[in-house]
Amino acid sequence: SSSGWKKRQMKKRALKTLHLIQRWAKNGNVNVVQYLYILEAELAVLQGKNEKAKKSFNAGIAASRRSGFLQDRALAHELASAYFRSQGDEYWGNYHIECSRACYQEWGCSEKVERLK
C-alpha cells in the first residue's frame, strides 16, 4: 500500500538522519543532543515503541531546556502533544501543546502560537 511505502521511506530517512546526528554528538557537538532525542522519539513512534517515544520526547525537552534552545523545546512539546493525542491521551496532549505554545510565545513566535490554538 502507498501508506506502508510512505512509512518505510520516512523510517529510512529518519534512520539516516539519526546516524548523522549521532556522529555529530559523538564528536562533541552538544548543540545537537536535543535533535537526537526528538528524532529518536519520532522513530519510536513509527516503530510503535511507545515507552521509548515517551522517554525520548521527555529527554529532548530536558536537553532543549538545559541547552537554552527554546525553539527546540517548543517543537519537542508540539510533537509530544501530537503523539499523546494520537494515543488518545488528551491530558498529556493538552499539557504538551500548552507548554509548546508558552515556549513559542516566549521565543516571540506569536503566529505559531495562534496556529496551535
Side-chain angles (χ1 to χ4, degrees):
S1 77
S2 95
S3 67
W5 178 84
K6 185 176 179 181
K7 191 173 181 180
R8 285 191 303 278
Q9 288 301 108
M10 287 173 47
K11 197 181 298 185
K12 184 178 176 182
R13 184 179 296 162
L15 283 170
K16 184 176 179 181
T17 305
L18 180 66
H19 295 309
L20 177 65
I21 295 172
Q22 283 172 332
R23 281 197 307 272
W24 291 342
K26 186 178 178 183
N27 289 331
N29 186 343
V30 296
N31 294 328
V32 298
V33 173
Q34 68 275 12
Y35 299 124
L36 185 60
Y37 288 125
I38 294 168
L39 190 54
E40 284 176 349
E42 288 293 294
L43 188 58
V45 170
L46 283 174
Q47 295 171 332
K49 297 179 178 177
N50 293 328
E51 287 306 311
K52 173 72 172 165
K54 291 174 190 177
K55 288 179 184 176
S56 294
F57 278 126
N58 286 332
I61 291 164
S64 298
R65 182 181 295 113
R66 278 192 309 274
S67 60
F69 290 107
L70 191 57
Q71 70 278 19
D72 296 336
R73 191 171 66 180
L75 176 63
H77 276 297
E78 182 181 354
L79 294 171
S81 174
Y83 165 73
F84 282 106
R85 286 179 172 171
S86 77
Q87 298 298 302
D89 190 336
E90 289 299 313
Y91 176 83
W92 287 110
N94 291 337
Y95 168 80
H96 283 290
I97 204 65
E98 287 306 314
C99 290
S100 178
R101 292 179 77 241
C103 290
Y104 281 126
Q105 186 68 50
E106 185 179 338
W107 190 43
C109 194
S110 55
E111 186 175 317
K112 181 69 174 186
V113 173
E114 288 300 313
R115 280 190 280 165
L116 290 177
K117 279 189 175 178

